[in-house]
PDB file of all heavy atoms in Angstrom:
ATOM      1  N   LEU G  66      22.228  11.410  -5.627  1.00 94.00           N
ATOM      2  CA  LEU G  66      21.187  11.155  -4.597  1.00 94.00           C
ATOM      3  C   LEU G  66      21.780  10.481  -3.392  1.00 94.00           C
ATOM      4  O   LEU G  66      21.329  10.748  -2.236  1.00 94.00           O
ATOM      5  CB  LEU G  66      20.032  10.394  -5.165  1.00 94.00           C
ATOM      6  CG  LEU G  66      19.142  11.216  -6.156  1.00 94.00           C
ATOM      7  CD1 LEU G  66      18.014  10.371  -6.739  1.00 94.00           C
ATOM      8  CD2 LEU G  66      18.595  12.454  -5.461  1.00 94.00           C
ATOM      9  N   ALA G  67      22.719   9.641  -3.565  1.00 94.00           N
ATOM     10  CA  ALA G  67      23.387   8.991  -2.458  1.00 94.00           C
ATOM     11  C   ALA G  67      23.998  10.086  -1.518  1.00 94.00           C
ATOM     12  O   ALA G  67      23.871   9.996  -0.301  1.00 94.00           O
ATOM     13  CB  ALA G  67      24.446   8.023  -2.919  1.00 94.00           C
ATOM     14  N   GLY G  68      24.635  11.079  -2.166  1.00 94.00           N
ATOM     15  CA  GLY G  68      25.217  12.164  -1.415  1.00 94.00           C
ATOM     16  C   GLY G  68      24.153  12.947  -0.659  1.00 94.00           C
ATOM     17  O   GLY G  68      24.342  13.327   0.485  1.00 94.00           O
ATOM     18  N   LYS G  69      22.992  13.139  -1.309  1.00 95.00           N
ATOM     19  CA  LYS G  69      21.943  13.915  -0.671  1.00 95.00           C
ATOM     20  C   LYS G  69      21.327  13.116   0.460  1.00 95.00           C
ATOM     21  O   LYS G  69      20.973  13.688   1.538  1.00 95.00           O
ATOM     22  CB  LYS G  69      20.870  14.271  -1.694  1.00 95.00           C
ATOM     23  CG  LYS G  69      21.325  15.421  -2.549  1.00 95.00           C
ATOM     24  CD  LYS G  69      20.475  15.771  -3.717  1.00 95.00           C
ATOM     25  CE  LYS G  69      21.064  16.971  -4.427  1.00 95.00           C
ATOM     26  NZ  LYS G  69      20.626  17.080  -5.789  1.00 95.00           N
ATOM     27  N   ILE G  70      21.232  11.815   0.310  1.00 95.00           N
ATOM     28  CA  ILE G  70      20.750  10.996   1.422  1.00 95.00           C
ATOM     29  C   ILE G  70      21.690  11.113   2.632  1.00 95.00           C
ATOM     30  O   ILE G  70      21.262  11.289   3.759  1.00 95.00           O
ATOM     31  CB  ILE G  70      20.589   9.511   1.007  1.00 95.00           C
ATOM     32  CG1 ILE G  70      19.455   9.371  -0.028  1.00 95.00           C
ATOM     33  CG2 ILE G  70      20.336   8.614   2.177  1.00 95.00           C
ATOM     34  CD1 ILE G  70      19.406   8.027  -0.712  1.00 95.00           C
ATOM     35  N   GLU G  71      22.975  11.033   2.350  1.00 95.00           N
ATOM     36  CA  GLU G  71      23.937  11.144   3.438  1.00 95.00           C
ATOM     37  C   GLU G  71      23.816  12.493   4.121  1.00 95.00           C
ATOM     38  O   GLU G  71      23.900  12.596   5.369  1.00 95.00           O
ATOM     39  CB  GLU G  71      25.364  10.906   2.921  1.00 95.00           C
ATOM     40  CG  GLU G  71      25.657   9.455   2.718  1.00 95.00           C
ATOM     41  CD  GLU G  71      26.951   9.209   1.969  1.00 95.00           C
ATOM     42  OE1 GLU G  71      27.904  10.033   2.132  1.00 95.00           O
ATOM     43  OE2 GLU G  71      26.991   8.183   1.230  1.00 95.00           O
ATOM     44  N   GLU G  72      23.606  13.516   3.348  1.00 96.00           N
ATOM     45  CA  GLU G  72      23.454  14.858   3.928  1.00 96.00           C
ATOM     46  C   GLU G  72      22.212  14.900   4.878  1.00 96.00           C
ATOM     47  O   GLU G  72      22.265  15.394   5.982  1.00 96.00           O
ATOM     48  CB  GLU G  72      23.226  15.925   2.829  1.00 96.00           C
ATOM     49  CG  GLU G  72      23.124  17.338   3.356  1.00 96.00           C
ATOM     50  CD  GLU G  72      22.729  18.323   2.235  1.00 96.00           C
ATOM     51  OE1 GLU G  72      22.969  18.043   1.073  1.00 96.00           O
ATOM     52  OE2 GLU G  72      22.212  19.392   2.598  1.00 96.00           O
ATOM     53  N   ILE G  73      21.135  14.264   4.418  1.00 95.00           N
ATOM     54  CA  ILE G  73      19.902  14.294   5.245  1.00 95.00           C
ATOM     55  C   ILE G  73      20.154  13.453   6.496  1.00 95.00           C
ATOM     56  O   ILE G  73      19.766  13.902   7.624  1.00 95.00           O
ATOM     57  CB  ILE G  73      18.745  13.699   4.451  1.00 95.00           C
ATOM     58  CG1 ILE G  73      18.403  14.598   3.255  1.00 95.00           C
ATOM     59  CG2 ILE G  73      17.514  13.581   5.356  1.00 95.00           C
ATOM     60  CD1 ILE G  73      17.397  13.984   2.276  1.00 95.00           C
ATOM     61  N   VAL G  74      20.824  12.372   6.382  1.00 95.00           N
ATOM     62  CA  VAL G  74      21.088  11.522   7.557  1.00 95.00           C
ATOM     63  C   VAL G  74      21.991  12.259   8.579  1.00 95.00           C
ATOM     64  O   VAL G  74      21.745  12.249   9.766  1.00 95.00           O
ATOM     65  CB  VAL G  74      21.746  10.194   7.139  1.00 95.00           C
ATOM     66  CG1 VAL G  74      22.318   9.460   8.379  1.00 95.00           C
ATOM     67  CG2 VAL G  74      20.745   9.330   6.400  1.00 95.00           C
ATOM     68  N   ARG G  75      22.939  13.016   8.045  1.00 94.00           N
ATOM     69  CA  ARG G  75      23.864  13.743   8.905  1.00 94.00           C
ATOM     70  C   ARG G  75      23.237  14.961   9.546  1.00 94.00           C
ATOM     71  O   ARG G  75      23.396  15.223  10.748  1.00 94.00           O
ATOM     72  CB  ARG G  75      25.112  14.166   8.122  1.00 94.00           C
ATOM     73  CG  ARG G  75      26.253  13.187   8.121  1.00 94.00           C
ATOM     74  CD  ARG G  75      27.571  13.932   7.766  1.00 94.00           C
ATOM     75  NE  ARG G  75      27.382  14.964   6.803  1.00 94.00           N
ATOM     76  CZ  ARG G  75      27.400  14.784   5.456  1.00 94.00           C
ATOM     77  NH1 ARG G  75      27.619  13.586   4.979  1.00 94.00           N
ATOM     78  NH2 ARG G  75      27.201  15.788   4.636  1.00 94.00           N
ATOM     79  N   THR G  76      22.501  15.745   8.709  1.00 94.00           N
ATOM     80  CA  THR G  76      22.041  17.061   9.170  1.00 94.00           C
ATOM     81  C   THR G  76      20.542  17.098   9.443  1.00 94.00           C
ATOM     82  O   THR G  76      20.024  18.040  10.042  1.00 94.00           O
ATOM     83  CB  THR G  76      22.357  18.171   8.160  1.00 94.00           C
ATOM     84  OG1 THR G  76      21.534  17.950   6.993  1.00 94.00           O
ATOM     85  CG2 THR G  76      23.810  18.101   7.725  1.00 94.00           C
ATOM     86  N   GLY G  77      19.788  16.117   8.970  1.00 91.00           N
ATOM     87  CA  GLY G  77      18.361  16.139   9.138  1.00 91.00           C
ATOM     88  C   GLY G  77      17.657  17.026   8.054  1.00 91.00           C
ATOM     89  O   GLY G  77      16.426  17.063   8.008  1.00 91.00           O
ATOM     90  N   ASP G  78      18.463  17.707   7.281  1.00 93.00           N
ATOM     91  CA  ASP G  78      17.871  18.577   6.251  1.00 93.00           C
ATOM     92  C   ASP G  78      18.595  18.412   4.910  1.00 93.00           C
ATOM     93  O   ASP G  78      19.662  17.853   4.842  1.00 93.00           O
ATOM     94  CB  ASP G  78      18.007  20.024   6.688  1.00 93.00           C
ATOM     95  CG  ASP G  78      16.953  20.395   7.673  1.00 93.00           C
ATOM     96  OD1 ASP G  78      15.750  20.155   7.399  1.00 93.00           O
ATOM     97  OD2 ASP G  78      17.319  20.930   8.772  1.00 93.00           O
ATOM     98  N   LEU G  79      17.986  19.057   3.906  1.00 95.00           N
ATOM     99  CA  LEU G  79      18.647  19.055   2.611  1.00 95.00           C
ATOM    100  C   LEU G  79      18.731  20.527   2.143  1.00 95.00           C
ATOM    101  O   LEU G  79      17.709  21.187   1.967  1.00 95.00           O
ATOM    102  CB  LEU G  79      17.864  18.226   1.580  1.00 95.00           C
ATOM    103  CG  LEU G  79      18.426  18.100   0.222  1.00 95.00           C
ATOM    104  CD1 LEU G  79      19.771  17.359   0.243  1.00 95.00           C
ATOM    105  CD2 LEU G  79      17.449  17.359  -0.718  1.00 95.00           C
ATOM    106  N   LYS G  80      19.974  20.964   1.965  1.00 95.00           N
ATOM    107  CA  LYS G  80      20.205  22.359   1.582  1.00 95.00           C
ATOM    108  C   LYS G  80      19.476  22.693   0.258  1.00 95.00           C
ATOM    109  O   LYS G  80      18.891  23.782   0.155  1.00 95.00           O
ATOM    110  CB  LYS G  80      21.703  22.573   1.353  1.00 95.00           C
ATOM    111  CG  LYS G  80      22.173  23.868   2.026  1.00 95.00           C
ATOM    112  CD  LYS G  80      23.683  23.905   2.073  1.00 95.00           C
ATOM    113  CE  LYS G  80      24.124  25.288   2.472  1.00 95.00           C
ATOM    114  NZ  LYS G  80      25.554  25.459   2.345  1.00 95.00           N
ATOM    115  N   GLN G  81      19.512  21.765  -0.636  1.00 94.00           N
ATOM    116  CA  GLN G  81      18.881  21.988  -1.929  1.00 94.00           C
ATOM    117  C   GLN G  81      17.390  22.378  -1.763  1.00 94.00           C
ATOM    118  O   GLN G  81      16.879  23.236  -2.473  1.00 94.00           O
ATOM    119  CB  GLN G  81      19.003  20.713  -2.790  1.00 94.00           C
ATOM    120  CG  GLN G  81      18.412  20.869  -4.184  1.00 94.00           C
ATOM    121  CD  GLN G  81      18.117  19.497  -4.793  1.00 94.00           C
ATOM    122  OE1 GLN G  81      18.077  18.512  -4.071  1.00 94.00           O
ATOM    123  NE2 GLN G  81      17.887  19.493  -6.078  1.00 94.00           N
TER     124      GLN G  81
END
Side-chain angles (χ1 to χ4, degrees):
Chain G
L66 288 179
K69 284 172 179 160
I70 291 170
E71 282 169 30
E72 182 188 339
I73 297 169
V74 168
R75 269 200 326 272
T76 69
D78 280 309
L79 183 64
K80 225 169 169 188
Q81 182 200 16

